[in-house]
Amino acid sequence: APPIAVVSNFTPQVHGSYRLPLPHDGVWREVLNSDAAIYGGSGQGNLGMVNVQDGSAIVTLPPLSTIMLEWQG
């Protein structure tokens, strides 16, 4: 099974341009964003995916939420 990163933001602030270290370079698909509008959230997020280069990605951490990223390779 591919690795999944679970990241939570327990503050009421959006953290945009947050550098997140991840174990594999490549595409990571955002499989869950608890701040999505479908769950009643503000809709902040990463447009469904992030790219990891040199061991880290620049991500948006939505307020009071959890995101799950699954490595796609």
Side-chain angles (χ1 to χ4, degrees):
I4 295 177
V6 179
V7 184
S8 296
N9 177 6
F10 294 109
T11 73
Q13 298 175 329
V14 175
H15 293 284
S17 300
Y18 185 86
R19 183 173 298 277
L20 177 67
L22 290 165
H24 301 293
D25 286 356
V27 174
W28 289 69
R29 184 170 60 100
E30 190 174 59
V31 294
L32 173 77
N33 176 350
S34 67
D35 190 55
I38 194 168
Y39 301 127
S42 67
Q44 300 289 319
N46 299 285
L47 302 175
M49 54 82 70
V50 299
N51 284 307
V52 176
Q53 294 179 354
D54 299 324
S56 66
I58 303 300
V59 301
T60 297
L61 298 180
L64 301 170
S65 65
T66 296
I67 63 172
M68 295 175 72
L69 303 169
E70 179 183 46
W71 185 58
Q72 302 295 292

